[in-house]
Amino acid sequence: MPQDGEENKAKWYVAHTYSGYENKVKDTLERAVENRHMQDVIQEIVVPMEERIEIKDGKKKTTLGKVFPGYVLVKMVLTEETWYVVRNVRGVTGFVGAGGKPEPLTDSEIRKMGFDLTASATCDYEVGDTVKVVNGPLESFIGVVESINKEKAKVKVLVSMFGRETPVELDFGQVEKM
């Protein structure tokens, strides 16, 4: 299943579910992980939600809606056992991937979805490191890390704009070490 050297690294996978079963799948899977003591290999289960504003009878109403109906994101170390556990949860129809084989989401796919799914607040750079902005309005700008806020998963970067250094606050996932 996993390629050499990747056995112990959890990645994000997409499980396909019956529409409307996303939260049931999440709850059932969380219970299965707890009962089987698999928290170290199936680390996180997410049903991405977003606020939506609806106008009904001239009144504004904010509701929460699923971003990807019919899908649940699972951060796990892919093994025969984890694959089996997720696949056999009632309501799961399979994984997204070629030939029924689960394919992990790439970092760029995760960023494009607009989710900081790596919110375990990790960054591979330190204050003083040179970084490149990889998404957002300042994409491809180069800067130097001025400060790191692990609690908020934010990094302050001094970016050179119009001939002057400008401090910019970005999410961890928006920058990469050069």
Side-chain angles (χ1 to χ4, degrees), residues 4 8 12 14 18 29 36 40 47 64 71-72 80 82 84 90 97 104 111-112 118 124 163 166 170 172 175:
D4 290 340
N8 297 323
W12 285 98
V14 181
Y18 293 123
L29 188 51
R36 294 170 183 242
D40 54 331
V47 177
L64 270 183
Y71 296 97
V72 174
E80 289 292 336
T82 58
Y84 176 85
R90 187 175 177 177
R111 277 194 293 273
K112 280 179 190 161
T118 54
D124 62 347
T166 306
L170 301 164
F172 280 0
V175 296

Side-chain angles (χ1 to χ4, degrees), residues 39-128:
Q39 294 89 338
D40 54 331
V41 286
I42 299 179
Q43 299 172 354
E44 215 173 323
I45 302 131
V46 176
V47 177
M49 305 291 275
E50 68 182 357
E51 281 189 4
R52 295 186 178 138
I53 296 171
E54 295 175 0
I55 298 173
K56 225 177 193 174
D57 301 328
K59 292 182 180 151
K60 235 188 213 185
K61 184 181 169 193
T62 305
T63 60
L64 270 183
K66 294 177 187 85
V67 179
F68 307 113
Y71 296 97
V72 174
L73 304 176
V74 182
K75 185 175 186 181
M76 66 181 189
V77 178
L78 186 61
T79 64
E80 289 292 336
E81 186 183 13
T82 58
W83 190 31
Y84 176 85
V85 168
V86 175
R87 199 179 58 220
N88 286 293
V89 166
R90 187 175 177 177
V92 173
T93 59
F95 279 95
V96 172
K101 185 178 166 237
E103 288 286 325
L105 291 171
T106 65
D107 289 346
S108 69
E109 286 171 329
I110 292 168
R111 277 194 293 273
K112 280 179 190 161
M113 286 192 280
F115 296 105
D116 185 13
L117 298 176
T118 54
S120 323
T122 57
C123 60
D124 62 347
Y125 39 81
E126 297 172 19
V127 173

